[in-house]
Amino acid sequence: MVKIILRNQEYEVRAGMTLHSALKKLGILPEGVLATRNGEMITEDEILREGDVIKLISVISGG
Amino acid sequence: MKCRKCGGKAAINMRQHKLALCREHFLDWIPEQTERFIKKYRMFTREEKILVAVSGGKDSLALWDILWRLGYQADGLYIALGIDGGIAYSAESQRLTEAFAAERGLKLHVVDMARDYGHTIPQLAEVTRRGQDKPCSVCGLVKRHEMNRIARDLGYDVLATGHNLDDEAAVLFGNTLRWAGEYLVRQGPVLPASPGLARKVKPLCRFYEREMAAYALMRGITYIYEECPFATGATSIYYKELLNRLENDRPGAKLSFYLAFLQAKKEGLFASRSEEVVPLLNTCPTCGQPTSAPGQCSFCRMMARVSAEEA
């Protein structure tokens, strides 16, 4: 499985899908986040591997 | 996905530009583009002194970093608002801003509301009962006043803020929904100086918020990730989310919404109206800053009211 973390929420998706598919499955808009794996940014076409931990960084701020 | 410039592994894909770049080329591309926007909109020159309004967030720190890398004379201004929200929001953002400036040897001016005026923003909001349960209107009023005061008193030519395209598109969307002509006419990358008011510029206004977060991350800039505790449920965030849904389906929609607006304004869509609505400015007898109505400006009226309530 692949762990995806956004703020204090953790999700799990199957390995082998792209980041884009994983975000779509979780209902997270790619426009609102950056994804990192081991501290490196990855693009939406990246295939998620077994054991990956993907940290999502929310980019929307304002008030 | 491969970097268009070197063929290496891309770190970011900017669908609106059909451009994917690796870390190294993205970190070159952002300042190159910023320089292009500074020149295109005639924001400032290398001979001018720039005051960058920094909050400790990703956009303003990224802006200061970019201007520093480009060799501009850019000092920072941080306004300590005294917002805690259970996460020491202001204290932490000040610490990060000061660390950022110290690492680069940059000059940072600090206005501390509690120290300099005796009240934090939430205290001012409570005493004056402005903005109901949220101090956002007081915060905006104080920031506008203090940014202009410091820019004017310390002889800066221009005040730069870190507004990105998502900020601008959200404001534009809100103003368009209300057909707020007087605000639409004033929105743009540059607000020219007027008597008593410094020129204001937004060098990041054509970058997506996502790109600025990526820049901060790739440059190793530590910024305050937590949102202002009072921003929860803000309309601007709601508009940004709506626009991102549109962007997701139609890449480039946010950018074209903003750029088409600027083009329409340039072609005179709002020109005749602007002449009618520009108010005659008066001078505040207390602080000397311009104000639309005769007598004290809103900031000085608020401070006078606070003093009266405490007497």
Side-chain angles (χ1 to χ4, degrees), chain A residues 7 29-34 36 41-46 56-63, chain B residues 1 9 11-13 58 209-210 213-214 217-218 225 227 231 236-237 240 244-245 247-248:
Chain A
R7 294 196 184 269
L29 270 183
E31 285 302 320
V33 293
L34 293 173
T36 62
M41 271 182 56
I42 57 171
T43 49
E44 304 89 75
D45 63 334
E46 193 76 21
L56 300 180
I57 298 161
S58 175
V59 302
I60 296 182
S61 63
Chain B
M1 201 170 290
K9 190 173 166 57
I12 186 165
N13 180 31
K58 64 184 187 309
E209 186 147 30
R210 193 166 180 271
L217 185 69
M218 290 190 215
Y225 182 56
E227 193 55 77
S236 61
I237 293 178
K240 283 183 179 183
N244 273 343
R245 279 190 230 167
E247 181 75 21
N248 191 56

Side-chain angles (χ1 to χ4, degrees), chain B:
Chain B
M1 201 170 290
K2 290 183 175 175
C3 171
R4 189 199 280 179
K5 296 208 173 177
C6 69
K9 190 173 166 57
I12 186 165
N13 180 31
M14 294 172 281
R15 294 197 305 160
Q16 77 278 24
H17 299 307
K18 296 186 175 65
L19 178 66
L21 293 173
C22 67
R23 177 183 177 277
E24 184 189 353
H25 284 114
F26 179 71
L27 289 179
D28 287 343
W29 183 80
I30 290 282
E32 284 166 12
Q33 293 297 304
T34 309
E35 182 80 305
R36 189 166 78 83
F37 304 147
I38 290 168
K39 291 197 168 117
K40 178 180 175 62
Y41 297 113
R42 296 179 185 158
M43 292 185 178
F44 44 78
T45 65
R46 283 196 158 63
E47 288 69 47
E48 290 184 297
K49 281 179 66 187
I50 305 151
L51 183 65
V52 184
V54 280
S55 65
K58 64 184 187 309
D59 302 293
S60 56
L61 290 181
L63 171 61
W64 203 7
D65 183 71
I66 293 164
L67 295 181
W68 171 65
R69 287 178 68 199
L70 289 171
Y72 284 100
Q73 304 177 57
D75 296 340
L77 166 63
Y78 176 83
I79 303 175
L81 306 167
I83 294 171
D84 184 84
I87 53 169
Y89 178 75
S90 289
E92 182 62 4
S93 58
Q94 182 170 355
R95 186 187 70 76
L96 294 172
T97 304
E98 287 175 343
F100 175 95
E103 280 165 20
R104 291 160 180 77
L106 295 169
K107 185 190 280 185
L108 175 67
H109 305 285
V110 175
V111 171
D112 185 323
M113 289 307 293
R115 179 194 66 200
D116 302 340
Y117 290 98
H119 296 277
T120 64
I121 294 296
Q123 287 166 349
L124 284 174
E126 192 180 336
V127 173
T128 59
R129 291 180 285 280
R130 281 177 72 118
Q132 296 162 343
D133 60 334
K134 284 200 172 192
C136 303
S137 71
V138 169
C139 189
L141 171 65
V142 165
K143 283 197 280 196
R144 283 191 298 276
H145 186 273
E146 289 303 283
M147 287 192 292
N148 194 60
R149 179 178 70 82
I150 297 293
R152 189 191 61 175
D153 290 358
L154 301 182
Y156 286 94
D157 299 294
V158 58
L159 175 69
T161 57
H163 292 93
N164 58 49
L165 187 132
D166 291 57
D167 296 322
E168 293 300 288
V171 167
L172 178 59
F173 186 63
N175 287 338
T176 306
L177 284 179
R178 293 181 291 111
W179 290 116
E182 71 276 26
Y183 290 105
L184 286 167
V185 84
R186 284 166 52 86
Q187 188 178 355
V190 177
L191 189 60
S194 54
L197 288 172
R199 185 189 335 149
K200 290 180 186 157
V201 299
K202 301 168 184 171
L204 307 182
C205 67
R206 287 179 58 163
F207 291 118
Y208 281 10
E209 186 147 30
R210 193 166 180 271
E211 288 150 24
M212 296 328 301
Y215 180 85
L217 185 69
M218 290 190 215
R219 280 285 291 164
I221 296 170
T222 310
Y223 62 89
I224 185 138
Y225 182 56
E226 297 303 325
E227 193 55 77
C228 172
F230 295 109
T232 308
T235 309
S236 61
I237 293 178
Y238 174 61
Y239 288 161
K240 283 183 179 183
E241 287 168 351
L242 283 180
L243 290 167
N244 273 343
R245 279 190 230 167
L246 180 64
E247 181 75 21
N248 191 56
D249 297 336
R250 304 181 71 89
K254 288 187 295 192
L255 182 63
S256 67
F257 178 48
Y258 182 62
L259 293 185
F261 159 71
L262 293 183
Q263 186 61 32
K265 204 169 82 153
K266 192 176 170 186
E267 288 171 2
L269 186 63
F270 307 105
S272 58
R273 179 73 180 146
S274 72
E275 287 164 16
E276 294 167 25
V277 297
V278 170
L280 185 64
L281 289 181
N282 300 280
T283 302
C284 172
T286 308
C287 71
Q289 288 202 31
T291 175
S292 53
Q296 284 186 313
C297 67
S298 302
F299 177 86
C300 291
R301 278 205 314 275
M302 176 177 73
M303 300 313 289
R305 186 173 162 192
V306 169
S307 299
E309 295 223 2
E310 287 178 338

